[in-house]
Amino acid sequence: MKQYLAIDVGGTSTKYALVSEQGELAEKHKQPTARNSRAEFMAAMTMLIHRYQGQIAGVGLALPGVVNQQQGIVKTCAALPFLETMPLAARLKDAAHLNTPVVIENDGNAAALAEHWQGKLAGTINSAMIVLGTGVGAALFLNGTLYTGSHDVSGEPSFMITNGLNPITRAQTAAGLSAVKTVNAMAAAQHIRGHNLGPRVFKTLKPDTPAAAILATFTQGVAAMIYNIQTVLDLEKIVIGGGISVQSRVIDEIRARVATYLQVTPLAARTIKLPEIVAAKYRNDANLVGAVVPLVAR
């Protein structure tokens, strides 16, 4: 059975694991991300690859930023700007003296590929994954294929203008839909401090409280974004990822609020078909599983 080395590069830490061709993970670990220079980053990745070189049939790398997966090039990467314009896949293969392939992918796309391979999007033709974290990310599958757009930047709904009647500022976009800031604000309203805020916030959440109102504003904004996407793409299913997606209340509220937008006009109610909206299967392991999907598909 083939195994692949999956590497998920984040701004702070880098996770890695061996992933089988059935999507099973083994030897999952993490280490600090080498973020000071290109040379340091390449040395860290090469050392990691050498550790598993005799056991793997390829390397899949997921990282933040705009990636051209076909060319193996990082186009933009705010967290690791020294990788920009670099043919990273080819350079890693040469540096590690690999005879097996190396592929790179945007981390959001990798998470969606995991869901489309063996998760909640498996078997869908037109679908999407929306990740609610510090910001909003998305990935689209059209006609059964991951759609990256003409410039490799599809799936950036945080730039969507939600109210074009007012002067266009950041407040008129979906950029403010931060699940992290929402949970922090809910915690402050409930006077909850410390670590592991999410589970504690939702465990004590009560209706008709300031914290519930904060959540309602967030889910209303996410619902508007999903409805706008649906009017253009007519998707069959949307999965919600990110840490907040483990809270069934969040998924239920988003689903209910999307349905209310159908009532904007009688014609909308008769025309627009709502997608199925569910929580993603893969959470913290999504990027690792998805990073190897292009390798398994070869």
Side-chain angles (χ1 to χ4, degrees), residues 127-205:
S127 55
M129 180 175 186
I130 294 176
V131 181
L132 303 175
T134 304
V136 182
L140 302 171
F141 292 92
L142 302 179
N143 297 320
T145 302
L146 180 68
Y147 178 74
T148 57
S150 301
H151 307 93
D152 301 308
V153 291
S154 70
E156 296 290 350
S158 60
F159 296 112
M160 183 183 294
I161 295 171
T162 56
N163 186 349
L165 297 180
N166 292 328
I168 304 302
T169 64
R170 188 176 185 275
Q172 311 308 322
T173 73
L177 295 175
S178 170
V180 173
K181 289 183 178 180
T182 296
V183 169
N184 288 341
M186 292 169 66
Q190 294 174 288
H191 306 291
I192 297 174
R193 297 177 177 82
H195 301 288
N196 200 28
L197 290 177
R200 295 162 59 202
V201 161
F202 282 94
K203 184 176 181 179
T204 58
L205 184 62

Side-chain angles (χ1 to χ4, degrees), residues 116-131:
H116 200 259
W117 181 29
Q118 294 195 31
K120 296 290 184 68
L121 293 180
T124 60
I125 304 300
N126 299 310
S127 55
M129 180 175 186
I130 294 176
V131 181

